[in-house]
Amino acid sequence: MKKSPVKIAISDILLDEEIYPRRSIDQKRVGIFAENIRDWSQFDPIEVEPYPGKSGKYRILDGAHRWSAYKATGASYIRCMIKNLEGCDPLLYAATKAIGPKQLTEEEARTTARRAFQHNPRLTTAEIGKAIGRARRTVDSYIADLKAVILMDLDLKIFRMNALGIPQERIATRLEQTRDIVRSHLGNMATLPKSPKDDLSRGYTVSQVAEKHGWTEAMVWSLALQGKDDLARFRELNWGLRTWDYWHFNDCDNRFGDEWPGRIPAQLIGHILYYFSRQNDLVFDPMAGGGVTADVCLTFNRRCWALDMVDRPDKRPEIEPYYWDMDAVGANLDLLKAKDKPDFIIFDPPYFDKKAQEYEAKSISSLPRHKYLRFMEGFFRQMKKHTKHSTKLAFINADWRNFQHTPAVNEIPEDAILVDDYLKILHKTGWRRTHIIQAPLSSERFDAGVVSAMQKKKILGVTSRYVIISK
Ligand SMILES: C[S@@+](CC[C@H](N)C(=O)[O-])C[C@H]1O[C@@H](n2cnc3c(N)ncnc32)[C@H](O)[C@@H]1O
């Protein structure tokens, strides 16, 4: 049944430039329409759709000139058809409508094609061509450069994920591409590094090459260090190798990982990998945050599967979205049921309570003490169940004592979560501790005023942090 038009207040209808295919409204045309309206001519209803994110408002799909003319005559209402585009691109729909009465100019057609493609790179040239009234070949010429950028971006993502050992079907799901497309891109992988490699051999620095080719530093490092052993990699990165079980680093190495609450220094991951894993091992980081583990794995030629509840498909496609919920029944992760099992787990969860407000509301950091500990128990049990007998685990954590406003002697031990508690849970869930390494947090983040107040009140802060290695 054909829908009938409805009257909508002109003030509730807006022209959204994002989906308007013309350069501007033709005022001469508006003037002629307005004269006709004053002579009692009735125009066809205009077409609108509900304005996304603006409740009670509509945006114009077809009829911008008629709407302007009614406005000019001082009318309060206009007859409208409210459309449901059912997933059809609104800019292209508006363009289809616009070419009826008056062809789009060359510039309008080109701009519309480019805007539509930028907004939705999945549109085919045929779909765009049909909407703007141009041949596919013409559309191809309009968007060739944009297409090349998108394809290159996809190549780089696939290259990175492939280098980290993520299976093809997971790459396809993550990048919302078919397996055939991923496979065809994988065909480019042998030639892709050629140009960055040439630049490296010409003496450009890793960061210059990364900048020039749009690669991440970690990806360029993985090329620059190809074929080298771990010790040589440490040297080239200018990281002093610690020989004893005390790993102190003043700063995070900003070449690896993103700014992130609770970010750990890349050098710390480098040391864990150096001492406890081998090249080509599969590392699993279940709460990967800013991606430092994945970056260091690329740099040290380890494979890496990484997860986090925060989804950043564009910047960090290699970190797959996953929310660990130990209360959910049967929440086993398919990824861990795969035949390929991790050789090594690096688990750097958010500390209990500390910085809870910096993470997403559902982060385990916000759990009450008993639930946080229960989460850990469930988590370690699952890890044991889904890994190999030889899999090792590096668990990074610290004592949590409520020292903030409390002199050391008045702290309540029952409220604390100590490293001893984690050791007990690890033992109970079948993990045997082999090493405990001190990797203290920097105390430089406390300002002198705070330190002096703590000293006066006999408050004893925490900067000790440990890497507990278990088998
Ligand atoms: C300490 S951060 C990891 C930092 C990371 N190692 C780095 O250096 O960038 C902990 C991460 O755990 C994630 N997280 C917390 N609770 C989670 C849950 N239940 N499931 C999945 N991820 C969770 C947070 O989003 C956060 O990114």
Side-chain angles (χ1 to χ4, degrees):
M1 201 174 66
K2 200 169 178 295
K3 270 194 175 166
S4 352
V6 288
K7 276 188 169 178
I8 298 179
I10 287 191
S11 55
D12 284 339
I13 298 173
L14 305 170
L15 180 70
D16 179 4
E17 305 231 321
E18 287 287 307
I19 61 156
Y20 188 54
R22 296 206 182 273
R23 216 158 89 94
S24 58
I25 288 192
D26 177 351
Q27 291 305 334
K28 216 165 118 198
R29 209 159 156 224
V30 172
I32 297 168
F33 284 4
E35 245 173 63
N36 288 339
I37 294 167
R38 286 194 195 97
D39 289 343
W40 309 107
S41 296
Q42 168 103 282
F43 281 101
D44 283 345
I46 67 168
E47 289 189 11
V48 297
E49 70 166 357
Y51 205 125
K54 292 193 183 168
S55 158
K57 302 282 179 203
Y58 296 86
R59 61 179 183 178
I60 300 171
L61 294 169
D62 178 35
H65 288 95
R66 280 167 279 161
W67 167 76
S68 301
Y70 274 98
K71 238 180 17 178
T73 61
S76 312
Y77 289 89
I78 184 167
R79 291 187 318 134
C80 302
M81 301 297 291
I82 302 175
K83 301 290 290 185
N84 175 359
L85 293 186
E86 287 167 354
C88 172
D89 187 87
L91 174 63
L92 286 190
Y93 182 81
T96 323
K97 290 287 169 175
I99 57 175
K102 193 176 166 220
Q103 280 289 329
L104 296 176
T105 65
E106 188 58 19
E107 194 203 328
E108 285 169 346
R110 186 181 138 82
T111 319
T112 302
R114 292 175 70 80
R115 278 163 59 194
F117 185 73
Q118 270 167 322
H119 184 243
N120 179 7
R122 258 167 246 281
L123 288 170
T124 62
T125 41
E127 283 168 317
I128 298 175
K130 200 166 146 216
I132 62 171
R134 296 291 192 281
R136 276 173 54 179
R137 271 227 316 273
T138 314
V139 176
D140 259 332
S141 70
Y142 290 158
I143 61 171
D145 59 327
L146 299 178
K147 237 178 168 173
V149 170
I150 285 174
L151 289 178
M152 179 52 90
D153 182 57
L154 194 58
D155 261 351
L156 291 182
K157 284 179 178 150
I158 294 175
F159 183 76
R160 187 149 110 220
M161 294 172 83
N162 185 54
L164 287 167
I166 301 173
Q168 269 183 43
E169 71 272 13
R170 289 218 322 261
I171 298 181
T173 310
R174 178 68 172 140
L175 301 178
E176 298 181 355
Q177 304 290 334
T178 63
R179 282 181 73 172
D180 282 346
I181 289 184
V182 171
R183 214 171 293 125
S184 78
H185 279 263
L186 283 171
N188 305 338
M189 296 301 125
T191 48
L192 200 65
K194 191 174 172 320
S195 176
K197 258 187 183 161
D198 287 348
D199 282 340
L200 284 171
S201 58
R202 275 192 215 116
Y204 287 101
T205 64
V206 167
S207 60
Q208 284 167 335
V209 176
E211 170 95 37
K212 177 174 169 195
H213 295 274
W215 286 41
T216 62
E217 289 228 5
M219 280 168 68
V220 182
W221 275 113
S222 78
L223 284 187
L225 299 174
Q226 230 166 28
K228 307 223 160 152
D229 67 18
D230 285 354
L231 192 57
R233 288 173 194 248
F234 256 85
R235 270 196 222 111
E236 300 254 348
L237 290 165
N238 227 347
W239 287 353
L241 181 62
R242 312 297 195 253
T243 317
W244 315 107
D245 55 359
Y246 178 80
W247 301 342
H248 179 254
F249 312 102
N250 275 332
D251 296 304
C252 289
D253 185 330
N254 287 331
R255 294 174 294 183
F256 307 102
D258 311 322
E259 270 300 329
W260 201 259
R263 174 187 192 169
I264 41 173
Q267 305 89 306
L268 176 52
I269 301 289
H271 277 76
I272 296 175
L273 295 182
Y274 183 82
Y275 284 109
F276 299 105
S277 74
R278 280 192 287 257
Q279 294 208 13
N280 214 32
D281 270 359
L282 176 60
V283 175
F284 178 53
D285 183 346
M287 292 194 184
V292 67
T293 304
D295 279 356
V296 179
C297 280
L298 269 178
T299 307
F300 279 82
N301 191 29
R302 267 64 167 178
R303 292 174 294 145
C304 178
W305 294 353
L307 305 173
D308 203 281
M309 63 187 281
V310 180
D311 186 13
R312 296 184 296 153
D314 215 43
K315 174 118 206 237
R316 288 283 171 187
E318 72 273 37
I319 303 181
E320 296 167 74
Y322 187 75
Y323 178 67
W324 294 97
D325 180 358
M326 285 309 136
D327 291 332
V329 184
N332 281 345
L333 180 58
D334 282 345
L335 169 146
L336 286 177
K337 289 190 204 143
K339 257 210 330 271
D340 210 359
K341 301 276 181 225
D343 300 290
F344 202 86
I345 301 167
I346 296 187
F347 183 36
D348 174 33
Y351 296 151
F352 166 62
D353 192 52
K354 208 164 109 178
K355 295 194 178 167
Q357 68 289 355
E358 289 182 32
Y359 296 108
E360 303 264 305
K362 280 173 75 191
S363 145
I364 59 162
S365 198
S366 321
L367 294 176
R369 182 181 183 278
H370 70 283
K371 284 200 177 163
Y372 185 88
L373 289 172
R374 206 172 66 202
F375 177 95
M376 290 298 166
E377 186 171 333
F379 181 83
F380 288 134
R381 227 181 265 290
Q382 274 221 19
M383 289 302 110
K384 193 84 235 174
K385 185 167 149 202
H386 291 294
T387 51
K388 303 185 277 195
H389 186 65
S390 56
T391 301
K392 292 187 209 67
L393 165 80
F395 173 52
I396 304 165
N397 221 308
D399 276 350
W400 184 88
R401 293 188 281 99
N402 196 5
F403 67 83
Q404 301 270 335
H405 305 287
T406 317
V409 284
N410 296 344
E411 282 179 28
I412 303 167
E414 289 71 28
D415 288 350
I417 301 186
L418 304 180
V419 166
D420 310 49
D421 296 307
Y422 297 123
L423 289 172
K424 271 187 222 145
I425 294 173
L426 281 166
H427 190 76
K428 187 173 166 191
T429 52
W431 293 93
R432 190 158 45 92
R433 164 174 100 73
T434 57
H435 302 78
I436 181 158
I437 299 136
Q438 300 179 55
L441 295 155
S442 165
S443 57
E444 283 160 22
R445 62 207 161 95
F446 294 108
D447 75 58
V450 174
V451 172
S452 144
M454 286 169 71
Q455 288 173 345
K456 269 192 216 132
K457 286 190 191 158
K458 301 194 176 184
I459 290 173
L460 183 62
V462 178
T463 57
S464 314
R465 171 175 58 187
Y466 300 93
V467 180
I468 302 170
I469 308 287
S470 304
K471 261 170 87 165

